[in-house]
Amino acid sequence: MIHEIDEAKRCLNCKVPQCRKGCPINTAIPQMIQYFKEGELQTAGQMLFENNPLSMVCSLICNHEKQCEGHCILGKKGQPIHISSIENYISDTCFERIEAKYEKNKGKKVAVIGSGPAGITIAIILAQKGYDITIFDAKDKIGGILQYGIPEFRLPKSILGRYKTKLLEMGIKIRPNTAIGEALTIQDLQRDGYKSIFIGTGVWKPKTLGIKGESLGNVHFAIDYLKNPSAYSLGDKVAIIGMGNSAMDVARTAIRHGAREVILYARGLHWNSSDHEANYAKLDGAKFEYAKSIVEITDEGPVFQNIRYDEDENVVETEEEKILYPADTTIISISQGPKSRLVSTTAGLKATEKGLLQTDEKGTTTIDGIFAAGDVVLGAKTVVEAVAYSKVVAQYMDEYMQGLDENE
């Protein structure tokens, strides 16, 4: 508590707050800090929730060093204000007492497919506008990538339990273990009177390297491993192909589950994750190897060729020699794309070449009344970007339904 108060006192309350400019969802940071200093905690919490329903989550997992804190003017010559700690203290303390304001019930049903960041955001905003919301999720717990893709040590799962309670308190219905596109289809939802449908199914299909060895028993994909690490026996030495945020999560999780040596490999000369996540992975004991081109994966570990770069970091050549880097387990972490279940079962719903749903700037898909946002539209992005875009789409969904005749 002392830390947050001391940090708040350092705020200069800039007339043109760069911290706010750096926030993808435009959080009113100086006002938040001012309320905090004046003891108006509940007012600050209400303001944060109305601007960003996932404020409590984003305050923990956002890339703050490149967003709010990275833009803080105090960071030019010293340490920026630890904005995330202040935001988390407020959001965490006030969450259960936040008033979800409602408009008069419009009597219109909305189906939300997927309970990740985009789906939760849409559900909350439209419930506040008086719509009858049902969330359908293929898995047993809500949260999507928050639940099954981010480790407990970065995002305590108890937070998602609190969000579930909040959703239920708002009158939102939740159907777990219900994958739309299997027993139930989008046509069934339309038949049953849902006036608008939102798709926020995320990206759960691992991208493959397309090399020999990916089907071996000691090879796994990052997105699968992070769903339930306890189900895996990795052995002592783990090789991870990739250096993005998910790769760092895999490395830190593997170490916590007993791996004695964890090495991440990248084609380039730098990690792709945030500096914060990479530095924590290093602190936990992970090692990094650069300029490695993966050739194949064997029972004994991955095989690489070295890449030579010039001083401008252009590739000069890939050396012919193939080198085995022994490992008990190899985990591939090179991003993921969407599954095709909804597109294949819904006539008229179109996807891009990458499998992402086609939408316009309003989030409207190729079918009238069906909207989409989040990773299934943008590809794998940050949580705060998914929330920010979903706020816009929720507004257009509301406008669309307001325009429908009551008898439709």
Side-chain angles (χ1 to χ4, degrees):
M1 182 62 183
I2 298 297
H3 168 69
E4 283 81 8
I5 292 172
D6 289 343
E7 285 296 287
K9 288 178 179 176
R10 293 175 57 222
C11 179
L12 302 177
N13 199 12
C14 303
K15 288 186 178 179
V16 183
Q18 297 303 310
C19 55
R20 187 169 184 174
K21 286 186 178 181
C23 175
I25 204 163
N26 197 30
T27 299
I29 294 166
Q31 289 91 328
M32 170 192 82
I33 292 176
Q34 194 61 35
Y35 284 135
F36 181 73
K37 289 196 294 188
E38 293 171 357
E40 296 288 337
L41 211 63
Q42 197 60 32
T43 304
Q46 192 75 38
M47 180 190 75
L48 287 171
F49 183 81
E50 288 174 7
N51 177 66
N52 176 5
L54 288 178
S55 172
M56 181 162 47
V57 171
C58 291
S59 63
L60 289 173
I61 65 171
C62 265
N63 187 357
H64 305 108
E65 69 204 37
K66 288 189 177 176
Q67 296 172 355
C68 55
E69 292 170 16
H71 285 70
C72 175
I73 198 73
L74 291 176
K76 302 289 184 186
K77 294 183 179 179
Q79 287 297 314
I81 291 170
H82 215 277
I83 296 165
S84 55
S85 291
I86 299 170
E87 181 178 1
N88 183 255
Y89 182 88
I90 296 168
S91 297
D92 181 59
T93 304
C94 298
F95 186 73
E96 275 69 27
R97 292 178 287 149
I98 285 169
E99 182 187 355
K101 300 171 183 174
Y102 297 90
E103 292 183 16
K104 186 179 178 182
N105 193 297
K106 294 180 172 64
K108 292 177 180 175
K109 294 183 185 297
V110 177
V112 175
I113 305 173
S115 67
I120 291 174
T121 301
I122 292 284
I124 288 173
I125 292 173
L126 292 183
Q128 288 178 313
K129 290 181 179 295
Y131 294 100
D132 181 356
I133 312 293
T134 299
I135 295 175
F136 298 85
D137 200 279
K139 297 182 173 61
D140 62 330
K141 295 183 176 123
I142 72 156
I145 196 69
L146 304 176
Q147 182 75 247
Y148 297 101
I150 298 178
E152 173 79 19
F153 57 83
R154 282 187 60 208
L155 180 66
K157 299 303 181 276
S158 59
I159 288 175
L160 299 173
R162 293 164 69 187
Y163 268 95
K164 180 181 178 181
T165 300
K166 178 70 71 176
L167 294 173
L168 294 173
E169 285 175 354
M170 294 177 70
I172 295 167
K173 303 176 189 73
I174 300 172
R175 282 190 64 164
N177 299 317
T178 307
I180 303 300
E182 293 185 354
L184 291 175
T185 65
I186 282 180
Q187 289 88 338
D188 293 326
L189 301 181
Q190 292 170 322
R191 174 201 67 198
D192 291 344
Y194 290 94
K195 299 301 183 186
S196 184
I197 297 169
F198 173 79
I199 301 172
T201 46
V203 285
W204 293 98
K205 184 179 179 181
K207 289 189 178 177
T208 62
L209 293 163
I211 61 172
K212 184 180 177 183
E214 283 186 284
S215 69
L216 296 178
N218 63 339
V219 179
H220 309 292
F221 293 108
I223 191 71
D224 297 330
Y225 173 69
L226 289 171
K227 285 178 194 173
N228 185 9
S230 300
Y232 293 77
S233 299
L234 302 183
D236 288 337
K237 192 166 185 177
V238 178
I240 300 170
I241 314 299
M243 282 194 196
N245 282 327
S246 287
M248 300 304 167
D249 283 343
V250 169
R252 299 182 68 196
T253 302
I255 289 168
R256 282 161 173 74
H257 281 77
R260 296 182 182 278
E261 187 174 1
V262 175
I263 305 175
L264 298 94
Y265 298 89
R267 279 188 59 86
L269 300 174
H270 310 279
W271 55 66
N272 297 320
S273 71
S274 70
D275 292 345
H276 178 83
E277 294 306 321
N279 288 328
Y280 266 105
K282 280 187 175 182
L283 185 66
D284 287 354
K287 298 175 184 175
F288 294 32
E289 290 275 356
Y290 302 99
K292 304 294 180 188
S293 176
I294 183 72
V295 178
E296 69 173 302
I297 304 171
T298 71
D299 288 321
E300 288 73 43
V303 176
F304 294 97
Q305 291 173 304
N306 288 321
I307 304 172
R308 286 183 54 225
Y309 290 86
D310 62 20
E311 61 271 13
D312 296 320
E313 300 189 5
N314 297 311
V315 175
V316 175
E317 69 168 336
T318 302
E319 297 177 1
E320 289 187 16
E321 183 184 10
K322 297 176 182 179
I323 306 168
L324 169 69
Y325 286 76
D328 298 309
T329 297
T330 301
I331 299 180
I332 299 164
S333 183
I334 56 164
S335 191
Q336 52 281 340
K339 293 184 177 180
S340 59
R341 182 172 56 223
L342 280 175
V343 172
S344 63
T345 60
T346 310
L349 191 64
K350 293 183 181 177
T352 67
E353 288 181 4
K354 293 182 178 179
L356 301 170
L357 286 181
Q358 282 187 25
T359 64
D360 61 16
E361 70 282 355
K362 298 179 180 179
T364 307
T365 65
T366 48
I367 299 177
D368 193 43
I370 300 180
F371 297 78
D375 289 356
V376 75
V377 173
L378 302 170
K381 298 286 186 181
T382 64
V383 171
V384 72
E385 286 172 311
V387 175
Y389 182 39
S390 298
K391 283 179 65 179
V392 174
V393 175
Q395 188 62 42
Y396 286 119
M397 289 179 72
D398 182 37
E399 289 179 11
Y400 168 80
M401 287 183 285
Q402 295 275 30
L404 295 175
D405 293 330
E406 290 299 326
N407 295 324
E408 279 190 46

